[in-house]
Amino acid sequence: MVTIKDIARESGYSISTVSRVLNNRSDVSPDAKRKIEEVVTRFHFVPNNNAKQLKQNNSRTIGVLVKGISNMLFANIVEELHRMIERTAYTLNISYLDEDADEVEQAILLCRERKPIGLLFLGGNPEYFKKGFAGVGVPCVMVSNRANELGFSNLSSVATDDVAAAQCAVDALFEAGHRKIGILGGDPEKSYTSLQRFRGCERSFAAHGAAMDAGLCYEKAHFSFESAYRAMERLLTRYDGLTAVFAMSDVMAIGAIRALRDRGLSVPEHISVIGFDGTSLAEYYNPKLATIRQSYQTLAARSIEILFGQIELKKEAIHEIVPFEFASGESIRIIK
Amino acid sequence: MVTIKDIARESGYSISTVSRVLNNRSDVSPDAKRKIEEVVTRFHFVPNNNAKQLKQNNSRTIGVLVKGISNMLFANIVEELHRMIERTAYTLNISYLDEDADEVEQAILLCRERKPIGLLFLGGNPEYFKKGFAGVGVPCVMVSNRANELGFSNLSSVATDDVAAAQCAVDALFEAGHRKIGILGGDPEKSYTSLQRFRGCERSFAAHGAAMDAGLCYEKAHFSFESAYRAMERLLTRYDGLTAVFAMSDVMAIGAIRALRDRGLSVPEHISVIGFDGTSLAEYYNPKLATIRQSYQTLAARSIEILFGQIELKKEAIHEIVPFEFASGESIRIIK
DNA sequence: TTGTAGGCGTTATCAA
DNA sequence: TTGATAACGCCTACAA
């Protein structure tokens, strides 16, 4: 392995001068710079990151904690983050967590082990934050969840207004004439996102003078095809006369639609379905899925910008709401 | 920041003894072990990875180079790798590359910067390997491509027989009575996988006494919804009387189906479609997509096993073929 | 069973 | 503008 020492020896300069060239500092003669650079390329020398980071005690790494491995929106955001970060000096360190895992505990571990300069939470449970976030020292951004009420000075957030967005989704069903509406979502006690969307549903029901009996209409599932498939089956057995379903993610909606079709029910002829997230999947699905479109590009871009703002410009934590959009699709039938 | 020194001071033992406990070595008295562990947990001490890796000059990191960010099969494999690795002492370092990027060049960079103990290539172009792989010193596994002909002693492979699998896919179309068959795939000059599947198509055509005019029936696309959508449009304009399409990935197939539907053509009534990969997407799509199922679990599991075999057991490079399966779906119509 | 000391590859301080 | 040299936190002979 070729080290800075070899470059020093080969170029006739000292280690320090080589180090200066490598970090392009100004106090080096053009001559030295040229010569050293020549040797560096000739030897294909690349600095040892471990040594560098050990010395500087910072890592140019941004930790990303992703809750829920089948979450397409998160997958899209991660892709986008990759794209944005790849031509910079930073690296992403991505950890995938179970939907119900304690992301704050993981974050603390990650910080000690990898010394990231900042953290991005894709999904997160405020309960865990209240309990343990004080132990996280670096700037963080919670993506797709609001964190303003938590009041941590190093925790920003970029989120969709889940209450309003879910309400908008269910409104669309009511407005199409549906009254017997089922809901597929995460466990509101464990997933804050699900809780918020649940509240949005309640508001929509109330606004349309309907009673929302969660025991009847709400079915818990994980954010995956399979889990939603099974949840839809349970809902179907239980809820007589059901005409429409709101699924709290596109992946869930698609799992549900397959369950319906397997029972001989088609969408939207027999049952209308609306999803959530607005991933490209929704657009390419058959029928084109009605959904709430969150802009993953905006979510990704803003979260990085805010994080860098906190890290480099020492800005304060901010809490941003990213607008959502209703995408009509073809999966809702207007009845009556 | 709490270091091993603090633990030593606090516990009354020396740094080495603490280090021994941390690496649970046997030559420590139970007493020391107990005491030191108590201090470790009390101080929430976690070793500094940079220092550790600098010293050991190995990183317990497995580098993963993923070619093509929209490739669902790769996404599934990556998920699976995560799942398998998370409870071990190893970490994954994943880099996403463009479909046409030089993965070997990236691999060399990655090795110098991160010192992975091994590398997994998800997709790869043999040309790049011939050119530069000699510069990669660590054990590697090429996943989903054969690498036996390359003859590198540190390069294994786990792959589907792409020629046979593609042939099987096109055979299914011929056997359903189709003769005017279009093909959507990557650029055979840049993507080895695409080239192999292209050859499989040729064989199928030949076996059914049909001439395969690539200029007419083959349309290039990237492995994404959008790109396949546009490719399908081009194919449709050019190929009169087309009745079936083989797409070299499920994502492509779905992009194509949307393009067909947007032109008022339905699947399989007007045009039959078969995909490739057998991701869960295919199963949940409407219509359920006929496809070639590659077992991403097997691919992931075997690639890790083989890699560890090479790393820890110093085994030789091996080249494995993982069986594929035809999944019939609902997207092929039998004509005549 | 435990401790001492040297070194991993780099950066940074200080002196030349 | 350059060069010695001391850290960074950890592991590991080797010695006790």
Side-chain angles (χ1 to χ4, degrees):
Chain A
M1 183 203 194
V2 29
T3 76
I4 198 172
K5 247 182 205 160
D6 304 312
I7 305 299
R9 188 173 12 77
E10 203 66 23
S11 65
Y13 285 91
S14 74
I15 293 184
S16 335
T17 307
V18 175
S19 176
R20 286 191 190 96
V21 171
L22 293 174
N23 297 286
N24 5 206
R25 302 264 280 259
S26 51
D27 53 352
V28 192
S29 66
D31 212 44
K33 187 173 159 73
R34 202 172 30 72
K35 277 186 195 155
I36 291 172
E37 275 171 349
E38 187 271 320
V39 179
V40 164
T41 51
R42 182 147 55 84
F43 280 65
H44 299 293
F45 169 75
V46 179
N48 179 315
N49 243 292
N50 287 319
K52 187 171 189 155
Q53 293 175 18
L54 168 60
K55 181 65 192 168
Q56 302 190 327
N57 205 26
N58 87 28
S59 63
R60 292 233 166 286
T61 292
I62 296 168
V64 183
L65 292 140
V66 185
K67 272 190 92 167
I69 203 152
S70 309
N71 189 317
M72 274 289 259
L73 178 70
F74 289 169
N76 286 342
I77 292 177
V78 169
E79 265 185 33
E80 200 64 21
L81 292 173
H82 262 295
R83 204 165 293 155
M84 295 188 325
I85 228 69
E86 73 180 346
R87 290 283 155 230
T88 72
Y90 299 90
T91 13
L92 253 32
N93 187 301
I94 303 178
S95 320
Y96 288 90
L97 277 55
D98 195 75
E99 272 178 40
D100 306 325
D102 184 339
E103 65 279 1
V104 177
E105 201 176 278
Q106 281 298 315
I108 290 172
L109 267 179
L110 184 68
C111 284
R112 297 192 194 263
E113 292 193 352
R114 305 246 174 267
K115 310 249 171 279
I117 52 170
L119 251 37
L120 256 28
F121 289 92
L122 268 53
N125 183 336
E127 290 312 312
Y128 294 134
F129 278 75
K130 282 179 200 154
K131 201 183 63 189
F133 189 75
V136 178
V138 295
C140 297
V141 179
M142 179 109 112
V143 185
S144 88
N145 263 190
R146 295 280 282 161
N148 49 337
E149 290 172 6
L150 292 166
F152 291 106
S153 65
N154 59 334
L155 180 62
S156 294
S157 64
V158 190
T160 300
D161 182 340
D162 276 309
V163 178
Q167 183 173 359
C168 168
V170 181
D171 281 354
L173 297 176
F174 274 114
E175 278 154 26
H178 297 275
R179 304 291 293 180
K180 298 203 162 187
I181 298 172
I183 301 161
L184 259 33
D187 185 342
E189 304 203 343
K190 290 184 187 158
S191 154
Y192 185 67
T193 305
S194 298
L195 177 61
Q196 293 292 90
R197 294 183 190 166
F198 185 90
R199 290 192 179 133
C201 296
E202 288 180 327
R203 289 207 191 163
S204 179
F205 273 73
H208 293 87
M212 177 168 151
D213 173 6
L216 175 66
C217 76
Y218 195 86
E219 192 60 53
K220 282 186 232 171
H222 276 209
F223 287 74
S224 71
F225 291 132
E226 298 79 356
S227 177
Y229 183 99
R230 290 193 301 271
M232 186 67 237
E233 287 183 321
R234 293 194 299 272
L235 191 59
L236 220 41
T237 324
R238 186 175 66 214
Y239 199 152
D240 224 35
L242 181 81
T243 68
V245 174
F246 165 47
M248 290 191 185
S249 85
D250 293 340
V251 167
M252 278 184 176
I254 289 171
I257 292 175
R258 162 68 48 205
L260 292 168
R261 281 183 42 103
D262 285 355
R263 294 252 186 144
L265 300 168
S266 63
V267 177
E269 289 73 16
H270 300 106
I271 307 265
S272 295
V273 174
I274 182 167
F276 200 106
D277 284 347
T279 52
S280 49
L281 212 51
E283 204 176 325
Y284 282 87
Y285 197 67
N286 262 330
K288 201 178 280 196
L289 197 62
T291 187
I292 300 296
R293 188 175 298 142
Q294 309 192 61
S295 166
Y296 64 91
Q297 292 101 334
T298 313
L299 248 19
R302 289 302 298 147
S303 60
I304 283 284
E305 283 163 17
I306 291 172
L307 190 65
F308 281 159
Q310 283 193 243
I311 295 169
E312 318 227 300
L313 288 49
K314 314 285 181 213
K315 284 195 192 159
E316 304 228 309
I318 57 178
H319 300 278
E320 237 176 61
I321 292 282
V322 170
F324 62 87
E325 233 176 58
F326 170 74
S328 58
E330 314 160 335
S331 62
I332 299 180
R333 196 181 122 215
I334 296 171
I335 60 175
K336 272 200 304 188
Chain B
M1 184 202 192
V2 28
T3 75
I4 198 172
K5 245 183 206 162
D6 303 313
I7 305 300
R9 189 173 11 77
E10 202 67 23
S11 65
Y13 285 91
S14 75
I15 292 184
S16 359
T17 308
V18 176
S19 174
R20 283 191 266 263
V21 171
L22 292 175
N23 297 286
N24 39 146
R25 303 260 285 256
S26 51
D27 52 351
V28 190
S29 66
D31 212 43
K33 186 172 158 74
R34 202 174 30 71
K35 277 187 194 153
I36 289 171
E37 274 170 348
E38 187 271 319
V39 180
V40 164
T41 52
R42 182 149 53 84
F43 280 64
H44 299 294
F45 169 75
V46 179
N48 178 317
N49 243 291
N50 288 319
K52 187 171 188 158
Q53 292 176 17
L54 169 60
K55 179 65 193 172
Q56 303 188 328
N57 204 27
N58 87 29
S59 62
R60 293 235 167 284
T61 292
I62 296 167
V64 183
L65 291 139
V66 185
K67 273 191 94 167
I69 203 151
S70 309
N71 188 318
M72 275 288 261
L73 177 71
F74 289 170
N76 286 342
I77 293 177
V78 169
E79 266 186 31
E80 199 63 23
L81 292 174
H82 263 295
R83 203 165 295 153
M84 296 185 326
I85 228 70
E86 74 180 346
R87 289 283 155 231
T88 71
Y90 298 90
T91 13
L92 252 32
N93 186 302
I94 303 177
S95 319
Y96 288 91
L97 275 58
D98 194 75
E99 272 178 39
D100 307 325
D102 184 339
E103 66 279 1
V104 177
E105 199 177 279
Q106 282 297 315
I108 291 173
L109 268 178
L110 184 69
C111 285
R112 296 191 195 264
E113 293 192 350
R114 305 246 173 269
K115 310 248 171 284
I117 51 169
L119 251 36
L120 255 28
F121 289 92
L122 268 55
N125 183 337
E127 290 312 313
Y128 293 135
F129 279 75
K130 282 180 201 155
K131 203 183 63 189
F133 188 75
V136 178
V138 297
C140 298
V141 180
M142 177 109 111
V143 187
S144 89
N145 265 188
R146 295 280 282 161
N148 49 337
E149 291 172 7
L150 292 166
F152 291 107
S153 66
N154 60 332
L155 179 63
S156 293
S157 64
V158 189
T160 300
D161 182 340
D162 277 307
V163 177
Q167 181 173 1
C168 167
V170 180
D171 281 353
L173 298 176
F174 275 113
E175 278 154 25
H178 297 275
R179 302 291 292 181
K180 297 201 162 190
I181 298 172
I183 301 160
L184 259 33
D187 185 343
E189 305 204 342
K190 290 185 188 158
S191 153
Y192 186 67
T193 306
S194 298
L195 176 61
Q196 293 293 89
R197 295 184 191 165
F198 185 89
R199 290 191 179 136
C201 295
E202 287 178 329
R203 287 206 193 164
S204 179
F205 272 73
H208 292 87
M212 178 170 151
D213 172 7
L216 173 67
C217 75
Y218 195 85
E219 191 61 52
K220 283 183 227 169
H222 276 210
F223 287 73
S224 72
F225 291 133
E226 299 79 355
S227 177
Y229 183 98
R230 289 193 301 273
M232 188 66 237
E233 286 183 322
R234 292 194 298 273
L235 192 59
L236 220 40
T237 324
R238 187 175 65 213
Y239 199 154
D240 223 36
L242 182 81
T243 68
V245 174
F246 165 48
M248 290 189 185
S249 88
D250 292 341
V251 167
M252 279 185 175
I254 288 171
I257 292 175
R258 164 63 55 203
L260 293 168
R261 281 183 42 103
D262 285 356
R263 295 252 185 146
L265 300 168
S266 62
V267 176
E269 290 73 14
H270 301 107
I271 308 266
S272 294
V273 175
I274 182 165
F276 199 105
D277 283 347
T279 53
S280 51
L281 211 51
E283 204 175 328
Y284 282 87
Y285 197 68
N286 265 331
K288 200 177 282 198
L289 196 61
T291 187
I292 299 297
R293 189 175 298 142
Q294 310 193 60
S295 166
Y296 63 91
Q297 292 100 333
T298 313
L299 248 17
R302 288 303 298 148
S303 59
I304 283 284
E305 284 164 16
I306 292 173
L307 190 65
F308 281 160
Q310 283 193 243
I311 296 170
E312 319 225 299
L313 286 52
K314 313 283 181 216
K315 284 196 193 157
E316 303 229 311
I318 56 178
H319 300 277
E320 235 175 64
I321 291 284
V322 170
F324 62 87
E325 232 177 58
F326 170 75
S328 59
E330 314 160 334
S331 61
I332 299 179
R333 196 183 121 215
I334 296 170
I335 59 175
K336 275 199 298 182

